[in-house]
Amino acid sequence: MINQAKTILKQTFGYDEFRPLQQDAIENVLNKRDTLVIMPTGGGKSLIYQIPSLIFNGITIVVSPLISLMKDQVEQLDAFGVPALFLNSTLTVEQYRMNVNRIRSGQAKLLYLAPETLMLEKTRQLLSKLKIDCFTIDEAHCISEWGHDFRPEYRQLAQVRKDFPDAVCLALTATATPRVQDDIQSMLEMKDSARFVASFDRKNLVLKVADKGYPLDQILDFLYTRNMQSGIIYCFSRRQVDELAYDLKNNGHSVLPYHAGLSDEDRMKNQEAFIRDDVRIIVATIAFGMGINKPDVRFVIHHDMPQNIESYYQQIGRAGRDGLSADCLLLYSYADRQKIEYFIGQKVGNEREVAEKHLESLIRFLEFDGCRRIPLMKYFGETYRKSQCGMCDNCLRDKGDEEDYTIPAQKFMSCIARTNQLYGAHHIADVLRGSSAKKILEKRHHKISTYGIGKEWPKNHWVQLSRLLIRKGFVEIDPKYGSLILTENAKPVLKGDIRVTGILDRTQTTHQEASKQKTAGFVESRFNEELFEELRIARKKLADELGIPPYAIFPDTTLMEMSYYFPQDEISLIGIYGVGEAKLKKYGNQFLNIIRKFTRTNDIKSRSRVIRQRVKKNASKKRHELIGKEYQSGKSIEHLAEQYGVKTATILSHLRKYLDEGNTIDPSGILKASGLSKRKRNMVLASIKKAGPEFLKPVYEDLNKEVDYNELRIIQLAYMAGMKKKSSIREGS
Ligand code: ADP
Ligand code: ZN
């Protein structure tokens, strides 16, 4: 059955490989074992029920609270040639009746239902006459009181599910702490064994936190190089949304607001405009996003601080669902923090305690000086195994940008001490600058020794320094009064025993363009932008004619591959990512015509031979040869893992096979996949040399079981590749 699933993956959806966990989960469902899947947004949860639905004889029910998404999903499935329908309160009586008739006559393999609709007597009757093979619950965290979005009507699903004893139950969600996962499984009476939890790490998201200085300018800077991209900007309040939307529009940006103060109709209209690429940017309160399935959101900006890590994660999760790199920028200010504290202060009891804890974790994340993925993953109960991700502001920041601020730090901190740790950064800065503000004279701070010793700096430098000192742990903010207090670590600085280094100005939102190189995949960084634009325009036109969103025709990734490989005929086109049989038939010719014309006019040679090879090779299953060759042509292991949608360990085992068959591979690229320090790597290497490269168990024991097998395999392969290279050089000379 799993082979059938693979065929559908390729023929219907146009994808070459399953993503991690998809195959296992699908296999489980096909074997009619209840299954819980936790996978971040964009991970590919939908295929886990969509593919089985095409294999089962009966129908698959999908319950989801996101009514606004259903139409979109059904449109997308329609483009793939998958027969799907939905029933919810947005349908007219006529449409409703028509859909019911279609369902009765077996014209749908998938039926999307809102929970309220499912509870209706008439729906239950309709369902009782159908053969239901799979009962899918999307956004399954809504079933648990411990989740962040508990919905009482979800509770009843557990009961309804019992009406269909022959149906396998599949629960899906993107956000569930272990506690919520347990809850879902026990409510639905599932066995533990059927739990699939993917990593929370969204590798393609670049995470940035900048100090909020002049937010409008900062955002304009950020947008300057992104005038073709779609993005969302979150604000704290409706007023802020309106203001920012107005300002951005005045600065020539394509933007619409979204918040609960607008009429339902305007909200729908603005959301639709965003989905259909009629407007590029949505400025919104947190009310926006639940019903958004747009895969090519290229950035999410937080103009104001989010409520907690969970909402932050959910909101940035709306970026880059297509797997291409996307930027997440958060503007952080102390004033925002105070605002949230104020709101929390108005809560009582347990609720207040929980909110305080959440805020604390968020602040820890924001003020963290190392790789941002470490505290983020940790929050979700996962350990981030590398020390650097290379995809967050802290990792991307050049160490060379750091400067020595020991002297100003000493001035600033002694001023805190002299004023008895009772004041905030602005007051301290005023004292240092020798201001004669009323408050200073009143408190007689013009009489203390640190008065006026910091005139060399403008005030905002001193305020920035206070943030640096907080980040580095020399100073803390008194949670009750907001005043700055010195920590234990401040003493050695004041005594001159340790130095303070760091980056003062963290308000920049545009640097680190270098990250693009790093985050972009192979095709993503090399496609022909001119053709891409032409294809995009054609896609938009076609989408408008059909009344569906552009991405339902093809996602950007598909257009990028088209603009890289320049396929000339249907055989090559089917080798392109995201092109299945239905889409080939429906849209193939229109896109081929544009590509052919473009290559002719510009005298460009097609790379379709490469794709055809890819199609053929895929069929003959000699994947390791393909991977070996691609690796040798310069693709990194990480890139290959992404391209084939498998774990790096799988790529390594293909390379091993490739090597074993007598080919050479470059050892240095393999070592890049290792998460070990150089010192550790050398230890492993020494041990492998001693014990011989064939077996790893002796090495594992030799290193006191401290290095896991995955890591050992990496070093082993690099070692073998190195040996091989040496011997072939010898042979050659
Ligand atoms: P989720 O529901 O987990 O947020 P989706 O099911 O919407 O994610 O999938 C995100 C995107 O990834 C979609 O465009 C989908 O078509 C694509 N996708 C899913 N599985 C694969 C795969 N195995 N190979 C390539 N693309 C995939
Ligand atoms: Zn990082």
Side-chain angles (χ1 to χ4, degrees), residues 480-496:
K480 215 154 165 198
Y481 304 104
S483 49
L484 297 178
I485 42 184
L486 301 176
T487 69
E488 272 303 299
N489 304 334
K491 270 185 210 150
V493 178
L494 288 167
K495 282 203 286 187

PDB file of all heavy atoms in Angstrom, residues 480-496:
ATOM      1  N   LYS A 480       9.115  44.927  39.649  1.00  0.00           N
ATOM      2  CA  LYS A 480       8.033  45.674  40.261  1.00  0.00           C
ATOM      3  C   LYS A 480       8.042  47.150  39.875  1.00  0.00           C
ATOM      4  O   LYS A 480       7.021  47.715  39.507  1.00  0.00           O
ATOM      5  CB  LYS A 480       8.132  45.549  41.784  1.00  0.00           C
ATOM      6  CG  LYS A 480       6.766  45.515  42.427  1.00  0.00           C
ATOM      7  CD  LYS A 480       6.805  44.794  43.728  1.00  0.00           C
ATOM      8  CE  LYS A 480       5.604  45.020  44.592  1.00  0.00           C
ATOM      9  NZ  LYS A 480       5.944  44.623  45.966  1.00  0.00           N
ATOM     10  N   TYR A 481       9.228  47.752  39.920  1.00  0.00           N
ATOM     11  CA  TYR A 481       9.286  49.200  39.701  1.00  0.00           C
ATOM     12  C   TYR A 481       9.903  49.608  38.375  1.00  0.00           C
ATOM     13  O   TYR A 481       9.864  50.783  38.004  1.00  0.00           O
ATOM     14  CB  TYR A 481      10.062  49.863  40.842  1.00  0.00           C
ATOM     15  CG  TYR A 481       9.484  49.540  42.188  1.00  0.00           C
ATOM     16  CD1 TYR A 481      10.093  48.627  43.040  1.00  0.00           C
ATOM     17  CD2 TYR A 481       8.271  50.130  42.590  1.00  0.00           C
ATOM     18  CE1 TYR A 481       9.538  48.315  44.267  1.00  0.00           C
ATOM     19  CE2 TYR A 481       7.716  49.813  43.808  1.00  0.00           C
ATOM     20  CZ  TYR A 481       8.351  48.905  44.648  1.00  0.00           C
ATOM     21  OH  TYR A 481       7.793  48.595  45.843  1.00  0.00           O
ATOM     22  N   GLY A 482      10.501  48.647  37.674  1.00  0.00           N
ATOM     23  CA  GLY A 482      11.105  48.990  36.391  1.00  0.00           C
ATOM     24  C   GLY A 482      12.453  49.681  36.522  1.00  0.00           C
ATOM     25  O   GLY A 482      13.009  50.145  35.536  1.00  0.00           O
ATOM     26  N   SER A 483      12.980  49.749  37.747  1.00  0.00           N
ATOM     27  CA  SER A 483      14.276  50.401  37.903  1.00  0.00           C
ATOM     28  C   SER A 483      15.401  49.412  37.594  1.00  0.00           C
ATOM     29  O   SER A 483      15.216  48.201  37.660  1.00  0.00           O
ATOM     30  CB  SER A 483      14.415  50.916  39.335  1.00  0.00           C
ATOM     31  OG  SER A 483      14.073  49.885  40.234  1.00  0.00           O
ATOM     32  N   LEU A 484      16.574  49.967  37.266  1.00  0.00           N
ATOM     33  CA  LEU A 484      17.714  49.110  36.948  1.00  0.00           C
ATOM     34  C   LEU A 484      18.431  48.723  38.218  1.00  0.00           C
ATOM     35  O   LEU A 484      18.691  49.565  39.081  1.00  0.00           O
ATOM     36  CB  LEU A 484      18.677  49.851  36.016  1.00  0.00           C
ATOM     37  CG  LEU A 484      18.121  50.229  34.638  1.00  0.00           C
ATOM     38  CD1 LEU A 484      19.174  50.997  33.845  1.00  0.00           C
ATOM     39  CD2 LEU A 484      17.675  48.996  33.869  1.00  0.00           C
ATOM     40  N   ILE A 485      18.765  47.438  38.352  1.00  0.00           N
ATOM     41  CA  ILE A 485      19.546  47.010  39.505  1.00  0.00           C
ATOM     42  C   ILE A 485      20.760  46.217  39.048  1.00  0.00           C
ATOM     43  O   ILE A 485      20.732  45.585  37.996  1.00  0.00           O
ATOM     44  CB  ILE A 485      18.703  46.175  40.511  1.00  0.00           C
ATOM     45  CG1 ILE A 485      17.801  45.200  39.758  1.00  0.00           C
ATOM     46  CG2 ILE A 485      17.859  47.052  41.403  1.00  0.00           C
ATOM     47  CD1 ILE A 485      16.884  44.427  40.676  1.00  0.00           C
ATOM     48  N   LEU A 486      21.816  46.288  39.846  1.00  0.00           N
ATOM     49  CA  LEU A 486      23.054  45.611  39.471  1.00  0.00           C
ATOM     50  C   LEU A 486      22.998  44.154  39.915  1.00  0.00           C
ATOM     51  O   LEU A 486      22.489  43.844  40.993  1.00  0.00           O
ATOM     52  CB  LEU A 486      24.251  46.294  40.141  1.00  0.00           C
ATOM     53  CG  LEU A 486      24.428  47.781  39.803  1.00  0.00           C
ATOM     54  CD1 LEU A 486      25.592  48.370  40.605  1.00  0.00           C
ATOM     55  CD2 LEU A 486      24.665  47.970  38.312  1.00  0.00           C
ATOM     56  N   THR A 487      23.528  43.260  39.074  1.00  0.00           N
ATOM     57  CA  THR A 487      23.594  41.857  39.486  1.00  0.00           C
ATOM     58  C   THR A 487      24.968  41.599  40.110  1.00  0.00           C
ATOM     59  O   THR A 487      25.830  42.482  40.116  1.00  0.00           O
ATOM     60  CB  THR A 487      23.425  40.913  38.288  1.00  0.00           C
ATOM     61  OG1 THR A 487      24.589  41.035  37.465  1.00  0.00           O
ATOM     62  CG2 THR A 487      22.193  41.257  37.471  1.00  0.00           C
ATOM     63  N   GLU A 488      25.171  40.388  40.572  1.00  0.00           N
ATOM     64  CA  GLU A 488      26.470  39.986  41.124  1.00  0.00           C
ATOM     65  C   GLU A 488      27.590  40.207  40.111  1.00  0.00           C
ATOM     66  O   GLU A 488      28.702  40.558  40.456  1.00  0.00           O
ATOM     67  CB  GLU A 488      26.425  38.496  41.508  1.00  0.00           C
ATOM     68  CG  GLU A 488      25.919  38.236  42.912  1.00  0.00           C
ATOM     69  CD  GLU A 488      26.753  38.970  43.946  1.00  0.00           C
ATOM     70  OE1 GLU A 488      27.963  38.684  44.020  1.00  0.00           O
ATOM     71  OE2 GLU A 488      26.205  39.837  44.662  1.00  0.00           O
ATOM     72  N   ASN A 489      27.236  39.972  38.833  1.00  0.00           N
ATOM     73  CA  ASN A 489      28.253  40.066  37.773  1.00  0.00           C
ATOM     74  C   ASN A 489      28.780  41.476  37.568  1.00  0.00           C
ATOM     75  O   ASN A 489      29.771  41.673  36.877  1.00  0.00           O
ATOM     76  CB  ASN A 489      27.686  39.578  36.434  1.00  0.00           C
ATOM     77  CG  ASN A 489      27.155  38.172  36.539  1.00  0.00           C
ATOM     78  OD1 ASN A 489      27.611  37.413  37.394  1.00  0.00           O
ATOM     79  ND2 ASN A 489      26.191  37.830  35.696  1.00  0.00           N
ATOM     80  N   ALA A 490      28.082  42.454  38.126  1.00  0.00           N
ATOM     81  CA  ALA A 490      28.496  43.838  37.892  1.00  0.00           C
ATOM     82  C   ALA A 490      29.793  44.171  38.634  1.00  0.00           C
ATOM     83  O   ALA A 490      30.602  44.969  38.162  1.00  0.00           O
ATOM     84  CB  ALA A 490      27.383  44.790  38.320  1.00  0.00           C
ATOM     85  N   LYS A 491      29.969  43.540  39.778  1.00  0.00           N
ATOM     86  CA  LYS A 491      31.131  43.883  40.626  1.00  0.00           C
ATOM     87  C   LYS A 491      32.471  43.797  39.900  1.00  0.00           C
ATOM     88  O   LYS A 491      33.233  44.764  39.898  1.00  0.00           O
ATOM     89  CB  LYS A 491      31.153  42.988  41.870  1.00  0.00           C
ATOM     90  CG  LYS A 491      30.367  43.611  43.010  1.00  0.00           C
ATOM     91  CD  LYS A 491      30.497  42.758  44.267  1.00  0.00           C
ATOM     92  CE  LYS A 491      29.222  42.917  45.085  1.00  0.00           C
ATOM     93  NZ  LYS A 491      28.917  41.717  45.862  1.00  0.00           N
ATOM     94  N   PRO A 492      32.784  42.635  39.297  1.00  0.00           N
ATOM     95  CA  PRO A 492      34.092  42.547  38.616  1.00  0.00           C
ATOM     96  C   PRO A 492      34.263  43.586  37.504  1.00  0.00           C
ATOM     97  O   PRO A 492      35.395  43.992  37.233  1.00  0.00           O
ATOM     98  CB  PRO A 492      34.115  41.125  38.049  1.00  0.00           C
ATOM     99  CG  PRO A 492      32.771  40.535  38.272  1.00  0.00           C
ATOM    100  CD  PRO A 492      32.078  41.357  39.304  1.00  0.00           C
ATOM    101  N   VAL A 493      33.170  44.020  36.897  1.00  0.00           N
ATOM    102  CA  VAL A 493      33.297  45.056  35.862  1.00  0.00           C
ATOM    103  C   VAL A 493      33.692  46.367  36.522  1.00  0.00           C
ATOM    104  O   VAL A 493      34.603  47.066  36.074  1.00  0.00           O
ATOM    105  CB  VAL A 493      31.975  45.250  35.084  1.00  0.00           C
ATOM    106  CG1 VAL A 493      32.122  46.373  34.058  1.00  0.00           C
ATOM    107  CG2 VAL A 493      31.566  43.963  34.393  1.00  0.00           C
ATOM    108  N   LEU A 494      33.016  46.688  37.623  1.00  0.00           N
ATOM    109  CA  LEU A 494      33.303  47.945  38.310  1.00  0.00           C
ATOM    110  C   LEU A 494      34.727  47.955  38.864  1.00  0.00           C
ATOM    111  O   LEU A 494      35.378  48.993  38.912  1.00  0.00           O
ATOM    112  CB  LEU A 494      32.282  48.171  39.429  1.00  0.00           C
ATOM    113  CG  LEU A 494      30.885  48.546  38.917  1.00  0.00           C
ATOM    114  CD1 LEU A 494      29.847  48.456  40.023  1.00  0.00           C
ATOM    115  CD2 LEU A 494      30.891  49.935  38.292  1.00  0.00           C
ATOM    116  N   LYS A 495      35.218  46.766  39.247  1.00  0.00           N
ATOM    117  CA  LYS A 495      36.579  46.702  39.778  1.00  0.00           C
ATOM    118  C   LYS A 495      37.618  46.666  38.666  1.00  0.00           C
ATOM    119  O   LYS A 495      38.819  46.690  38.922  1.00  0.00           O
ATOM    120  CB  LYS A 495      36.733  45.449  40.657  1.00  0.00           C
ATOM    121  CG  LYS A 495      36.114  45.655  42.046  1.00  0.00           C
ATOM    122  CD  LYS A 495      36.714  44.712  43.084  1.00  0.00           C
ATOM    123  CE  LYS A 495      36.194  43.321  42.866  1.00  0.00           C
ATOM    124  NZ  LYS A 495      36.534  42.327  43.848  1.00  0.00           N
ATOM    125  N   GLY A 496      37.149  46.537  37.431  1.00  0.00           N
ATOM    126  CA  GLY A 496      38.083  46.490  36.303  1.00  0.00           C
ATOM    127  C   GLY A 496      38.647  45.099  36.044  1.00  0.00           C
ATOM    128  O   GLY A 496      39.631  44.949  35.326  1.00  0.00           O
TER     129      GLY A 496
END
